[in-house]
Every structure is written in C-alpha cells, then in structure tokens.
Amino acid sequence: MATVKVNQLAKDDLFWQIDYKHDRCTLCGKCVASCPFQAIEAKVEKRRKVVSEDITPNPKVYFQTIPVIKQVISEYNFCRGCGICEKVCPNDAIKPVRNSDHRFQAKYRATVADPFKRGGRSNLETDGRTLDKIKVGRISQMTDPSLDAQRHTFDMRAPFGRVLAPNEIPLEVDSCGRLVLKNNLPPVRWIYPIIIGDMSIGALSWRMWEALAIATAYLNEEVGIPIRMCSGEGGVPVRLLKSRFLKYIILQIASGHFGWNRIVNAMPHMVEDPAGVLIKIGQGAKPGDGGLLMAKKVAKHIQEIRGVPKADLLSPPNHQGLYSIEESVQKMFLSFNAAFKFRVPVAIKVAASATSVSVYNNLLRDPYNIVGGFFLDGIDGGTGAAHEISLDHTGHPIVSKLRDCYKAALHQGKQGQIPLWAAGGMGKNWNLAADAFKMICLGANGIFTGKLMLQLAGCVGNDMGKCNACNTGLCPVGICTQNPTLVKRLDIDKVAENIVNYFIAVDHELKKLMAPVGNSSLPVGRSDALISTDKSVAERLDINYAC
Amino acid sequence: MCRIGAIKSKEYVHPSVALRLMRSQQKGHDNSGFAMIMQDLGGVFEGYKGLPILSMACTDEGIKVAEDILHRKGFVRLFQWAPQVFPKPGLKIEPMPNYVFQVYQYPKLYNYAPQEEKEELLVDMRLAIRHELENHDLGYVYSFWPDILTLKEIGDPSDIGEYFNLWEENDYFKAKIITAQCRQNTNYDIVRYAAHPFFLQGYTALANGENTFYEKNKNLQKKLYKGYIGFESDSQCFLYTLHYVHKKLKWPLIYYKHTITPIPFEELSQREDGHILANIRASLAHLEINGPNTIIGVLPDGTLFTCCDSKKLRPVVVGRDENTVVITSEVTGINDILPNRDWQDDIYPGEREMVVINDELEVVRWQQ
C-alpha cells in the first residue's frame, strides 16, 4: 500500500478548487499572469494516451509530458475564488469551484500559528436579513391619495448637525412679528439621506477613492443629489482639501489620526469648509478592534497623504487619553468644533453594541450641544480586512439597535436632536433605497453605505467567501490595493459612472416608496408604514405583524 | 372624508346655523355624529364671560365625581344649564344620561394668581375629572374654560339636532364663534373624544383628511405638555402643535404653518429668513404633517384661521358678508347660510396660504 502524507495540505483542504479543462486550454497564459495570488502556475504532467491508427483496432500506449495549469497548494498562495482566471480565459478552460468540504482555516492556523485573516464581511448569515422581512405595508388609498412618484416634488433631506429643542433656540420676536435669532446656533447641514461611508484612501486604492470623490461631486453638481462622502481615516489629498469640492467631503478622524497633519496644514488654504467631521470611535466590522493597514499597502502616495513611513499602520482600538463619554465630548468635539470655528458639524461614529443606547442617551443630554450626529455601524458593515474571529464573531446587528436608539430619544422627547445615521449591510440585497426607506421609518435620519460602492466598482467578492482578499493588498480588481499593476485594472470613469447611475436609480426608487405612503418629505420614525411577516421581528421592532 | 365648518359673526349665532352649514355637505360625512365648540357665548352664558365652564356628557355619578373634584379644590358652582332634550322613537342617537354645562368661580386662593397659573389649574382639573370618569366609565369631559362650550354626540346629525332641539333658533343658546363637524372619527372606534373640534386652553382646531405623520407627531407631543393626551384621533395633533407653537413657544401665528408644512429646502435657501425657518424645520421636524389636510383653528382671542396641507389635497373655502365669515370644506354650505353674499369675494386658499379672520372680521391672507 502506498504511503500517504495525511498531514500535508491537499487540494481537498482548500476553499476553492481550480477546475481546469486541459482540452480547452490554448496555453495562452492569461490566467496565470492575471492571478494576483499566484494561486495557479504553469506545470507539466505526465499523461498516458492510447491511440489506434490502423483500420482495425490496434491500440498503442504513449506517455507524454504536457504543459498544464495547476493549482498551487499552499497556506499562502491559495485560490480565493475571485474568478479572474475565468474572466480572462478566452476558452472557458478554467474556473474556481467552491469546495464545500474545505477545512482551510483549521489547517492554516495549525500550520502558521497565527490568526486567520481575510477581507469581506459576515459570511455566517447571508440570508434571512431582518430588513427583507419588513415591507412597506401602509399604502395610501382613498382618504390620503398616493402621490405620483414621477411628477410630484419630494423634499428628501436629512440633518447633519446638532439640532436644538425649539425652546433652546435663542429666538425673539421683532417689532414686525418675525422671529429673529439672538445668537449663533450649532451648524446643521441638510444633505441627502444616504452618505457614502468612510473608506480610507489607503484601504482603497487611489483610483477607487478618486472615483468615489468624482461621483460625489458629479451627483451634487450635475444631478442635484446633495450626497456627501466620508473620507475615512487616512487623510485627503491636499489638492482636494484646497478645492471647492471639499464641501462634499466629511473628514474623518480616528484613533490613528492619520492624515490630520496634512489636513491641519491645509486649513488656511481651504476655500470651502468640509461637509463635516466624523470622529470614529468604532466600526461595524471588527468592532472594538483597531484598523490595520499592512506595510505592503503603504505605498509612497499613502505615506505622503498620511504623513507616515512605510510600516504597518495601526489605529489603536481606542482613542488614547479618553476614558469617558463626557471627556470625549469635551476634548474631541470641542476641539474639532473649534478647529473650524464652530461652522462645521462634528459627529461621532460607533459600532452598534449592547451599550449604544447608553452612549446615545448620554450624548443627548450633553449640555454643550455640540454632538452633530450619531453614526451607528452594525455587524454587516465594513469592508474590513481583519482577523476572521473579529469579522465573524463580534458585532451587533444594526436594525434593532437603530430602533432602540430612536426609542431612547423618543423616551427623552429628544428625537431628531442628535441625528441618527445607521449602516451595516445596507444594500446587501442590492437595493439601497428599500433599506434606506425602512431604516428611516424605524427612526434613522439617514444611512451610510460602503461595501455596496465597492461592489458597484467591480468588487468580485461576496458574502459567501468569494475573493474576500481585501487583507492581502492584492485585490484582483484594483479596489483595495496599492499595487500599481492591479490598481490600473480599475477604470476610474467607469466606476464613477456606475456609482452616479446607481444613485440616480436609488433616488427614483426612494420616491417610489415615498409616493405610495403619501409622503413628500422623509418619514423619519414613521414605523406605522412598516409591517413584518415575522412575528419576532415585528415584536422586537414594535411594528405591525402581518401574515 | 370629513367636512368641517366654522362660523364667526359679529352677532350671536344659534347652532342651527352650524347644522345648516354642514347639512348641505352631508354627502361627505357618514351621519355618525355631531360635535361643536361654541366660543364667545351669548344667551344664558353671556353674563359669565371670565369664568370657566365645564362641558360634560356623563352619568349621574359622573356629575358627582366632577363636582367633588372641583369642590375639593375650592371651585364654587355659580350657574348650570342643561339643554332640554326631546327623545322620540326612531331618532338615531346614542345619548348620554346628562349634558352638563356648569359655570364655576375660581377658588379663593387663586384670586390674585397670575393668569398662567389659573390656566394650568383649569387643565389640571379637566385632566383629573377625565381620569376619574375614564377609570369608572362615567362619561366624558370636553372642556373647562371660560366662555367655551363643547357638545359631542354620536348619531345622525339631523336626529341629534332634533333631540337637543338645535334646529329651532332661540336666544338662550348662542355664540359668536361656532366650529362644527357632522361625523365621528370613523376610521377607528366611535369615541366621543375622537370627534372634531378639539380644544385646549382656548385653542380650537378641527381638520379633515388623514394625518400620515400621526405617529411622529404623537410621539413628540406626548412629551411636550401634560395636556397633550388622548390622541383618539390623528387630528388632535393639529391642535397640540398649534397650542405648542403659539402658546408654549409664544411664536407668532405665521410660524404654525411653517412648522406643520415647512417650505422645501430648495426654497429656504433663497429666503431672507431661510436660516430661521430651517432651524424651526430641524427642531420641530416631528411636528410636520405630510398628509392631505385642511385645518381650521380658533385662537383664545377669537381669531379664526385656516390653512392646508402642502400638497393642497383637501378643499376649503372662505365666504363672508358684512356680519359673518364662514370657513368650510365646500361652498354649498356657505351658499346655504350666506345666500346673499358676493361669491366673488370667496377665498380658496392655496397650499402655502394662511387666511386669518380677526375680531373685526377683517381678512388677512399671506403666503407662507
């Protein structure tokens, strides 16, 4: 009996197996050249061939050595199932096939003694989304007619900034019977109820980031959709900081403070205020964990923008020197409000958590009135490259948490005073408008979205483990890599066009939801418009159960 | 769809006029009830202008409960009047045993109390009475306020008129302002409290249509003032917002319309007062209405006004002669009671318009 090296990694252990059809392959080499993971290679195989050349059967056996494409069996260069080989093959000769019997993560840990890392997001729960169990069930009929989504005008704006209670606004009545303001108020910007979420330049390739910025500017200036984009923690190109387009960008600061030396230096040269400042405390993907940009992604331009040497860039899991909500309010909000002379709203982003309501309650009671928004990021969010254990096993779903926070505000009679923005799996079923509308009815002022933008750009990953290689710096489509060859695969204009088109469609679709419920302005907190066919969802979210 | 109506006159008007105003609009209601609020009272109440009048419909025990509560606090009953009723077989009406209209003297302790304190006292008393009546199912208390009288009944408006002999004009039951509606809020349970008009601290509001932002309105209002209770009808929200903006925040009336139907953001940016309006819109986003509605309101000083939803999906018309102004859903009603007016002077307010009638019956109109 032959010996078998049972402990060695085998093809059977891998997530993905390459299905190669030798008879269709022309050996053009495109697949090998395009695989960023070096998960396939050109090799030779010894083949036995039986040939009969006579009129009557006269089989002869030949042995040949022939060139083939072979899968690499390695803990490092393994196939991620991205399917780029299949995309470039002119002959349908090669494709990755999912291996449902894999045991790769166990093998990996057993070999490397290091946590398994990957990109992408929750691969554990891909169906049964809460939002898909909710329908817009309250349709206007005879007493309040539905509107015409095509012809009616809709007033879709969401606040970003600290809203004061009416009796706190310093108003007085002048001699003409008009209200006048006696003092300045915290700034409030009225923007589109969907924000392009914070993905840093660095995590994203410069081309991807630029495409987002172009799409944002185009949507604002040409389409009339006042959408904002958040920079992510990683700085902003100085040229953009000094341009008039800065007004569409929300600058983010997180625990690493990356890029802020450049931002601060650019302040005297800014011709426009930024749209806002977002202080990131936590994120939906890998909550409680800091960000990490591996040294191999810290290319020269990233070093320049962030003001760092080529090294692993770690955002600590917490903001150094902060140990209470009150302190964060005093130190961070005040300093960032002051930095832009109280003209720019400053908001906070936290990971959805069992503690979110307590934090929100505290912020609502903040006597300084300078918290301009509460951004909640749920477990399905993030484009995260992280330890798998964080991605799969930490976090909190967003829907019930958003609802809890809204109800906490309602309980205090302060709804809307610190606008609620929610994210985490928005548009996961490809329909951002439906998710946005439902979240708004549940109490959100708006939502933010990240991963969907990458998918619009051509990300080939999915939540079933396809690709998920954001952590490698080898993104096969040039979205989250700084490798110049890979980045050039991304067509900036096409990406921007896709995103613009998608939002034009979203805008129509939002109206198609607002019209039947008879509303021309956003139905924030109008949960009576929703029904759920799932009793537990209905009960948990306090909406009507329908069956 | 409800039809609503309001009459304001220089002379005292009998409720029969309100019944006539509403009857020709009958196709728009379902004969499920009749409700009215009379303000600036004449007839038997004319001599008691400054004193609060308790309006109730209740059982015998209900009267006792209410009187006990008021007496304990030090209120003294000065006068009471009950409409004579004329029961007849076949009348479609579900009458309560008693209809109580009692005039009270304030407790002595409040002789020198500031007006505001007295006003809060009246609300507290009404809420206490309502609480007790509700707990023991003894009836309904609608208003407890000077110079205000409320009647709400379930049944066919014509039959209700017959039952109370409201069709026949007389001199003892009159007012200069009457607001009325001829139906119950039939979307939900038939509850007397759910019938328009609604009243709080001198403010009256009635509306038609559907308040699609009811949930938002209600959730915020519940926290704003103790008197914002009930919500048996989504239209109560219109009253509470009016009360909150005008009485609590002390903003001029023009800001009521800005609160409930704010100007679109695009237009705000082009207005001189845009920043004020934007702040109001942000701060009171939960008091916005976004359904099809016409609202008629009366202020404590007798000012009458009307405005519409921002989409102008509900009708309203204002007609007048030298002595009377009528605001109602359909012009047929006005034709009935003011047949000789100049109909060319009728006003059909637009979606951004507010029409206000002051005490001299002068009409003030403005675009939001």
Side-chain angles (χ1 to χ4, degrees):
Chain A
M1 192 176 283
T3 51
V4 181
K5 291 178 178 169
V6 291
N7 290 324
Q8 220 166 37
L9 191 70
K11 192 174 175 181
D12 183 39
D13 294 323
L14 300 178
F15 288 123
W16 297 87
Q17 295 172 335
I18 292 295
D19 177 15
Y20 171 65
K21 295 190 179 72
H22 173 252
D23 56 331
R24 298 193 63 85
C25 179
T26 59
L27 294 173
C28 70
K30 281 186 179 169
C31 54
V32 176
S34 63
C35 175
F37 309 110
Q38 295 172 340
I40 46 177
E41 58 189 352
K43 279 209 159 178
V44 288
E45 272 180 1
K46 183 183 174 189
R47 294 279 171 90
R48 176 176 176 273
K49 199 172 183 185
V50 182
V51 179
S52 173
E53 290 171 339
D54 294 350
I55 298 170
T56 54
N58 181 17
K60 288 174 190 158
V61 175
Y62 294 101
F63 284 91
Q64 292 177 318
T65 302
I66 56 161
V68 291
I69 308 297
K70 275 253 193 197
Q71 181 165 8
V72 176
I73 313 295
S74 151
E75 282 84 359
Y76 300 100
N77 300 338
F78 55 93
C79 174
R80 317 267 170 161
C82 72
I84 292 297
C85 53
E86 188 183 0
K87 269 196 168 66
V88 296
C89 178
N91 261 2
D92 291 339
I94 190 167
K95 67 175 179 194
V97 176
R98 186 188 305 278
N99 173 19
S100 55
D101 295 323
H102 80 86
R103 55 192 76 80
F104 185 72
Q105 294 104 315
K107 287 275 183 182
Y108 179 90
R109 290 176 180 116
T111 309
V112 183
D114 198 35
F116 185 69
K117 304 176 195 72
R118 65 168 174 82
R121 195 45 216 158
S122 167
N123 291 347
L124 295 177
E125 297 160 76
T126 50
D127 51 24
R129 284 193 341 144
T130 305
L131 286 175
D132 292 332
K133 292 176 184 160
I134 298 173
K135 306 276 177 232
V136 180
R138 196 268 182 211
I139 307 302
S140 295
Q141 304 276 312
M142 290 166 79
T143 54
D144 63 314
S146 299
L147 305 175
D148 184 332
Q150 307 297 322
R151 282 178 290 187
H152 198 85
T153 51
F154 292 85
D155 205 20
M156 294 191 290
R157 296 286 183 276
F160 182 18
R162 183 63 159 92
V163 171
L164 294 188
N167 50 357
E168 289 171 349
I169 305 176
L171 290 169
E172 65 183 12
V173 183
D174 70 5
S175 54
C176 306
R178 302 263 163 185
L179 290 175
V180 286
L181 268 177
K182 287 185 293 180
N183 266 316
N184 287 334
L185 285 171
V188 177
R189 305 268 164 82
W190 288 91
I191 60 177
Y192 202 64
I194 302 174
I195 288 174
I196 297 178
D198 29 334
M199 297 177 286
S200 71
I201 194 165
L204 298 186
S205 68
W206 75 89
R207 282 196 173 215
M208 181 62 213
W209 203 92
E210 189 177 346
L212 287 173
I214 290 172
T216 303
Y218 190 92
L219 282 164
N220 273 282
E221 306 217 333
E222 299 295 328
V223 185
I225 294 178
I227 199 164
R228 298 292 177 265
M229 162 187 169
C230 180
S231 66
E233 184 202 19
V236 175
V238 172
R239 198 158 60 95
L240 178 54
L241 288 171
K242 292 180 181 173
S243 80
R244 67 186 176 85
F245 300 107
L246 182 63
K247 63 186 171 190
Y248 306 131
I249 305 287
I250 296 165
L251 300 177
Q252 180 168 85
I253 183 157
S255 54
H257 296 201
F258 293 125
W260 272 80
N261 53 344
R262 303 297 160 113
I263 293 173
V264 171
N265 285 337
M267 276 182 190
H269 310 288
M270 287 179 183
V271 293
E272 289 276 358
D273 284 331
V277 175
L278 185 61
I279 300 175
K280 187 186 87 175
I281 304 290
Q283 62 212 334
K286 52 179 174 179
D289 200 358
L292 167 63
L293 194 70
M294 299 82 63
K296 59 183 155 183
K297 284 178 90 170
V298 186
K300 197 156 188 318
H301 59 281
I302 302 299
Q303 295 172 34
E304 274 174 22
I305 290 170
R306 294 195 173 198
V308 292
K310 189 173 182 70
D312 280 352
L313 301 182
L314 281 112
S315 297
N318 62 346
H319 284 258
Q320 304 299 307
L322 289 182
Y323 56 87
S324 72
I325 298 168
E326 291 76 11
E327 196 192 11
S328 79
V329 167
Q330 291 211 356
K331 269 191 187 165
M332 294 167 57
F333 285 102
L334 211 51
S335 59
F336 282 101
N337 274 293
F340 292 99
K341 298 192 168 60
F342 293 86
R343 293 189 310 260
V344 174
V346 180
I348 188 172
K349 174 177 151 179
V350 297
S353 152
T355 62
S356 305
V357 171
S358 328
V359 175
Y360 190 50
N361 270 333
N362 273 287
L363 295 178
L364 279 169
R365 294 180 179 121
D366 146 42
Y368 309 99
N369 294 330
I370 46 180
V371 184
F374 194 59
F375 283 59
L376 261 181
D377 198 6
I379 189 169
D380 278 333
T383 53
H387 293 175
E388 188 184 60
I389 194 159
S390 306
L391 284 175
D392 286 353
H393 299 284
T394 58
H396 195 298
I398 187 62
V399 183
S400 64
K401 192 46 65 185
L402 173 270
R403 186 77 175 137
D404 290 348
C405 284
Y406 178 72
K407 287 178 121 181
L410 197 145
H411 183 72
Q412 287 199 44
K414 289 172 184 279
Q415 53 267 54
Q417 293 183 12
I418 296 182
L420 274 170
W421 290 78
M426 297 295 113
K428 202 170 166 181
N429 61 356
W430 314 119
N431 196 328
L432 195 57
D435 288 357
F437 187 84
K438 292 170 190 173
M439 292 297 273
I440 287 169
C441 286
L442 289 170
N445 289 94
I447 62 159
F448 50 111
T449 177
K451 188 166 58 180
L452 180 62
M453 297 301 106
L454 307 190
Q455 281 154 339
L456 293 172
C459 168
V460 291
N462 68 12
D463 283 332
M464 303 292 286
K466 191 174 180 195
C467 197
N468 288 189
C470 321
N471 60 314
T472 60
L474 295 169
C475 173
V477 289
I479 292 173
C480 51
T481 172
Q482 306 302 335
N483 177 319
T485 313
L486 294 172
V487 171
K488 282 190 182 112
R489 290 181 180 177
L490 198 72
D491 179 339
I492 297 180
D493 295 331
K494 188 66 192 159
V495 172
E497 185 185 327
N498 286 355
I499 292 170
V500 165
N501 285 341
Y502 187 82
F503 274 106
I504 292 173
V506 164
D507 195 54
H508 280 300
E509 285 172 334
L510 264 181
K511 289 173 186 169
K512 288 298 270 185
L513 290 175
M514 289 170 72
V517 302
N519 288 157
S520 54
S521 60
L522 290 175
V524 180
R526 213 195 142 186
S527 58
D528 64 307
L530 303 178
I531 53 161
S532 178
T533 49
D534 182 313
K535 210 162 192 170
S536 51
V537 168
E539 203 171 294
R540 180 66 182 81
L541 299 178
D542 194 13
I543 59 178
N544 278 325
Y545 167 63
C547 59
Chain B
M1 185 183 96
C2 319
R3 265 66 169 172
I4 50 179
I7 302 163
K8 181 175 168 65
S9 179
K10 287 180 180 166
E11 283 146 22
Y12 290 112
V13 176
H14 186 259
S16 58
V17 183
L19 272 172
R20 274 168 43 220
L21 171 71
M22 302 314 295
R23 192 173 56 174
S24 59
Q25 302 175 57
Q26 190 173 3
K27 65 187 177 302
H29 50 75
D30 56 7
N31 297 334
S32 57
F34 173 73
M36 69 170 173
I37 290 178
M38 298 164 72
Q39 179 168 348
D40 198 348
L41 299 169
V44 294
F45 293 99
E46 199 175 351
Y48 303 98
K49 283 286 175 189
L51 300 176
I53 303 169
L54 183 68
S55 295
M56 293 202 301
C58 59
T59 61
D60 293 349
E61 210 189 330
I63 300 180
K64 191 176 172 313
V65 164
E67 286 178 344
D68 285 351
I69 289 172
L70 292 174
H71 290 160
R72 265 203 305 276
K73 193 71 190 174
F75 280 93
V76 179
R77 199 179 68 206
L78 282 189
F79 171 72
Q80 73 172 328
W81 179 84
Q84 197 184 351
V85 295
F86 301 88
K88 231 176 17 180
L91 288 185
K92 198 182 153 226
I93 179 170
E94 296 172 27
M96 292 294 292
N98 301 292
Y99 294 87
V100 179
F101 302 104
Q102 297 182 339
V103 182
Y104 280 87
Q105 181 119 42
Y106 284 103
K108 276 199 182 126
L109 268 176
Y110 284 78
N111 275 355
Y112 301 102
Q115 183 62 18
E116 208 165 300
E117 218 169 289
K118 285 184 181 172
E119 292 178 348
E120 291 311 302
L121 175 69
L122 295 183
V123 175
D124 289 338
M125 290 297 99
R126 182 176 57 82
L127 296 182
I129 295 169
R130 174 167 170 161
H131 185 74
E132 280 306 299
L133 294 181
E134 262 175 0
N135 276 356
H136 303 99
D137 198 18
L138 300 174
Y140 307 87
V141 55
Y142 303 117
S143 55
F144 185 41
W145 200 257
D147 222 11
I148 292 290
L149 196 143
T150 308
L151 178 70
K152 293 190 178 186
E153 195 42 82
I154 296 170
D156 185 308
S158 301
D159 291 355
I160 293 169
E162 257 187 73
Y163 184 80
F164 291 107
N165 196 29
L166 290 181
W167 288 108
E168 208 172 295
E169 265 201 60
N170 59 47
D171 283 333
Y172 54 82
F173 193 41
K174 285 187 158 185
K176 286 189 178 167
I177 302 169
I178 302 179
T179 51
Q181 195 205 188
C182 280
R183 74 178 267 188
Q184 276 283 333
N185 181 17
T186 48
N187 285 7
Y188 306 101
D189 273 352
I190 305 271
V191 179
R192 280 173 170 80
Y193 283 131
H196 311 232
F198 305 105
F199 178 82
L200 177 64
Q201 284 197 325
Y203 292 83
T204 303
L206 57 169
N208 65 18
E210 197 146 339
N211 180 5
T212 58
F213 275 4
Y214 170 54
E215 193 188 6
K216 295 173 67 160
N217 290 177
K218 181 176 76 172
N219 282 338
L220 188 68
Q221 287 172 340
K222 277 194 297 193
K223 295 276 169 185
L224 291 177
Y225 178 61
K226 64 189 171 197
Y228 302 163
I229 57 155
F231 298 99
E232 292 86 359
S233 159
D234 57 30
S235 298
Q236 274 158 301
C237 299
F238 305 125
L239 171 71
Y240 297 154
T241 297
L242 172 66
H243 179 269
Y244 185 66
V245 168
H246 197 254
K247 185 163 180 75
K248 290 284 155 198
L249 295 175
K250 300 186 169 55
W251 291 353
L253 186 61
I254 56 168
Y255 295 99
Y256 179 57
K257 178 83 173 140
H258 282 302
T259 301
I260 57 170
T261 62
I263 290 175
F265 291 106
E266 246 169 61
E267 288 174 38
L268 278 187
S269 57
Q270 287 149 28
R271 281 176 66 125
E272 213 176 294
D273 58 351
H275 65 294
I276 300 269
L277 301 183
N279 279 313
I280 292 175
R281 178 160 195 184
S283 190
L284 293 177
H286 286 259
L287 297 186
E288 183 183 345
I289 62 167
N290 209 251
N293 298 103
T294 285
I295 299 160
I296 298 174
V298 190
L299 304 186
D301 66 0
T303 301
L304 182 67
F305 72 88
T306 185
C307 58
C308 297
D309 60 88
S310 56
K311 310 175 196 104
K312 183 63 193 166
L313 288 172
R314 279 288 187 269
V316 69
V317 53
V318 184
R320 61 195 193 277
D321 64 16
E322 60 280 5
N323 278 329
T324 309
V325 176
V326 180
I327 303 178
T328 195
S329 300
E330 291 184 354
V331 75
T332 52
I334 304 178
N335 292 344
D336 240 356
I337 62 172
L338 298 179
N340 300 321
R341 79 191 189 289
D342 184 353
W343 60 268
Q344 293 188 78
D345 286 342
D346 289 355
I347 300 167
Y348 292 83
E351 72 270 22
R352 293 280 160 216
E353 191 170 8
M354 195 134 172
V355 180
V356 175
I357 318 293
N358 69 15
D359 242 13
E360 281 72 48
L361 297 194
E362 288 167 347
V363 178
V364 185
R365 305 167 65 176
W366 66 78
Q367 292 294 321
Q368 185 181 357

